[in-house]
Structures are given as structure tokens and as C-alpha cells.
Amino acid sequence: MGGGPDKEHLVIALGDPEPKHLTALLKQQFPDIDITYYQVSRAVGGFKDNKTLGSQIPDGQICLTGPSVSVMGSDQQDVALFVHLMRPEPRWSFITLLLIFPPPISSLKLIHLFSAGVDHWTDHPVVKDSNITITTSSGIHGPPITEWIIMTTLVASRHYAVEYEWQKERHWGQGEKFQLAGTDWVGKTVGIAGYGSIGRQAARVFAALGANIHAYTASPRPTPSSRKDTGYFVPGTGDPDGTIPSAWYSGTSTTSLHTFLASGLDALLVALPLTPATRHVFGAAEFDLLGSSGGSPKTKAAGAGAAAKPFLINIARGPILDQPALVDALNDGVLGGAALDVTDPEPLPKDDPLWSAKNVIITPHVSSLGKEYLDRAFDLFVTNWKRHERGEKMFNVVDRKKGY
């Protein structure tokens, strides 16, 4: 990577003001790259300012505002940051054509997304009709999302929502407190569908609480070496050697999924990518099976009712679940409760019945957010580009056939 006519340009588009400590680090790491930063804002009624592209761009999409130009992009909340490495001529038209029209493939080297998924972009020409390398930031989300998972799970199992209402009412709850006796996770079984960086970190923390872990993956993991994590993950987190689960399940068929769901789960964590194959993969039949066969011997011995029914956690994508079927499963007591950081659609309409389903916790797709996000995302990009310069395989290269 050098100067001259083939010098690369790095264009960053982010929803926050420029993190100058990070762009300074990039300039230090890659002194021969020109860097331009754009702050993303959501434009309503067209472009906010500067030069526009014309009336062919729908209103209400994302507007990239910079020193001299504004460019409309995809109206998808998950896609918060693009990093492009490109040749210099003509500099800005590459962004325009990349986001709106089929891009000039010969000049664009890399698109790096600061999100874990690409499901919102599978129909875009840059994904469908080009061979441009696309990488994601999968691997950085394990710590914050796991803390959200544990937080919401404990809120449910320790009945904290009711206790918080007592606090606001200045009510000691002496007469009711024994009716709300919580349950701990020692000896219980947590099933994790999708054993990537998030699933592995969740397994690490649930295991620390005393729970057993059942892992479910698309491809078989029969040997110790096949269970190792070969992707990017935050140092000191996760399950790098794949030794935490007491049982492994795998497959892409309904039968294999049902075998996993019938393994006696007290909680099910959904951490799968959204693809055509996983859309609505959890429906009424799956919830019924989970509810009827769920629960470790310790849980079942504690008695019937909501306490013995499995708890469902979804931090992946809303459409992976059949949402009306989930509402029925919650209201009918098939499941003991659910924690959902994702819904279908997003934002969830005010009149959607999911809001009032029994024992549900809903948050607005915030589980991955944290002060460390940008630093980790930039670290992943730097790591990837250095691997590219050394001729090594980069982390998180999108497989267009798989959709992730």
C-alpha cells in the first residue's frame, strides 16, 4: 500500500461525529491512505443540505453529509457505518454509485460494515451483481449483548419488574414477596442456537452461573478442533476452544432443529443469522415442542406453571421467529416468557399484540450498543486490512451464497 496514482482512499460514513482519536489511529497505522469522514443523518423529505442527486431518490432515507456532497443510502437501522477502500478517480461518484446504482467494480476494493449482519443488503446490486469483498463486524458484539441477555433473563427469573414497581410505590411487598420467589440457574440447561461469538460469550456467563449449555450449529462439530472459534472475538471472552457445551447438536433440517429443542431446555437463546432458510424457522410447532419437552429435571421438580416453562431470548433478527405464533405461545403459557431485542417489524407498531403478551421484555434493538463499540469495530477493520496486506484471509468475509 503506497502513494502515487494508485493510492487508496478510505471513506468512512458513521452516524456520530468523527471519532478523531480513532481516525488519528488509522492515519498512524496507514499513513499512505487518504481518509475522508462523513457523518450519517436520517433525512426526511429529501437531502438535508449540500448537493443533491435528484428526485429519483425516495424521501426518508439516510443522508451522508460531508465537506462537499450528500449521498443517499439505504434506510436500514442496522447499517450504521460503511468503510470503503477505493481508487481515487472520481472519488465521490464511487460512493453514489455504490449505494444507489451498481458500482464500478474495478475501483472498489472492500466494503466493511460496522454491523454483524448483511440481511438488509442481500437484494442490493453490490451484493447480488458484484464480486466486491464485503466484511462485517461480527465478533465484537459478544460482551454487551451477553450482558443484555443475562440482565433480561435475571429480571424475569427474579421477578424484578414487579419488585421495581414496589419500589416506585414505596411498598415493601412483605405479604407478596414469598409468592414471587425467584429461581436461580444452577443445574438448568440453556440451549444456544447459533454458536458464534455472541453465543459463546453467553455460554461462558451462563456456565459461570452454574447452567449447562447445549449448542446448536448448522454444520457438524464432531471433533475438538472443529469446535474451536476461528473467527474474530474480543480477547478474554467467549469459548475459544468450544469446551463449554455439554452437548452439541447440528443440522439444517426441521428434524435436527426439533432434536435440539427436545433436549430439555430451560432457556433458548436465538443467535442465528437471518437468511431465507432461517426466516420463521421458529414457529408454533417449535414453540410447542420447546414448551412440552423443555425444562431440566431440577426445573420440573420445582413444580408446574410458568416457572417450569422455558424462557426464549432473541437477539438475532425478528423475522427468525413467527411473531404471531410467539404471542400465542406466551399468552397460552406454552412458554414461560421471552426477552426480545428484535421484532418484526422494527420499530414495533404501538398496536402490535406483542407489546401486551404475557411475560415479555422488549427493547428497541439496543443490546449491542456501548461505549466500546466503535473502538472494537475499528480494531476489527485494522486487523482485517493488515491481514489483507499480508495475504492472509480476512475475518467475516460475506459468503453471498449463504447470505452472511
Side-chain angles (χ1 to χ4, degrees), residues 142 146 192 194-204 213 239 269 271 315:
T146 292
I192 301 178
Y195 205 61
S197 60
I198 297 171
R200 288 170 184 260
Q201 176 66 1
R204 182 188 186 105
I213 304 298
D239 180 19
L269 168 60
I315 50 79

Side-chain angles (χ1 to χ4, degrees), residues 2-26:
D6 291 335
K7 185 175 182 180
E8 282 90 7
H9 287 79
L10 175 64
V11 179
I12 304 171
L14 184 62
D16 297 317
E18 178 180 353
K20 293 187 177 180
H21 69 291
L22 294 175
T23 53
L25 178 62
L26 286 174

Side-chain angles (χ1 to χ4, degrees), residues 34-215:
D34 285 340
I35 299 176
T36 304
Y37 188 91
Y38 280 83
Q39 183 175 351
V40 181
S41 60
R42 191 171 299 278
V44 178
F47 290 96
K48 288 184 64 177
D49 51 23
N50 298 329
K51 185 179 179 181
T52 69
L53 293 178
S55 59
Q56 77 273 20
I57 308 302
D59 291 346
Q61 293 190 337
I62 289 176
C63 179
L64 309 185
T65 60
S68 61
V69 67
S70 297
V71 185
M72 296 300 284
S74 171
D75 187 20
Q76 298 292 351
Q77 293 181 350
D78 288 344
V79 182
L81 175 62
F82 304 86
V83 178
H84 319 290
L85 283 170
M86 65 186 76
R87 300 297 182 185
E89 68 285 349
R91 176 182 293 186
W92 304 120
S93 65
F94 286 113
I95 307 174
T96 304
L97 294 174
L98 169 66
L99 298 178
I100 305 302
F101 310 106
I105 299 173
S106 61
S107 294
L108 194 60
K109 287 187 175 182
L110 170 70
I111 302 171
H112 178 69
L113 303 177
F114 271 37
S115 61
V118 294
D119 47 283
H120 291 311
W121 288 86
T122 53
D123 292 330
H124 195 281
V126 75
V127 177
K128 291 174 57 179
D129 305 327
S130 83
N131 294 317
I132 301 169
T133 299
I134 302 173
T135 57
T136 73
S137 291
S138 180
I140 72 171
H141 305 88
I145 290 182
T146 292
E147 292 188 10
W148 181 94
I149 291 167
I150 298 300
M151 175 189 72
T152 53
T153 301
L154 295 182
V155 162
S157 63
R158 306 304 303 184
H159 305 293
Y160 177 71
V162 175
E163 295 161 358
Y164 179 58
E165 292 302 317
W166 289 348
Q167 176 187 337
K168 291 194 296 183
E169 297 168 0
R170 303 188 180 190
H171 173 57
W172 190 243
Q174 182 71 28
E176 306 99 315
K177 67 179 182 179
F178 294 106
Q179 300 174 18
L180 291 178
T183 182
D184 61 58
W185 287 87
V186 176
K188 292 187 173 64
T189 301
V190 178
I192 301 178
Y195 205 61
S197 60
I198 297 171
R200 288 170 184 260
Q201 176 66 1
R204 182 188 186 105
V205 179
F206 269 118
L209 294 178
N212 301 310
I213 304 298
H214 289 184

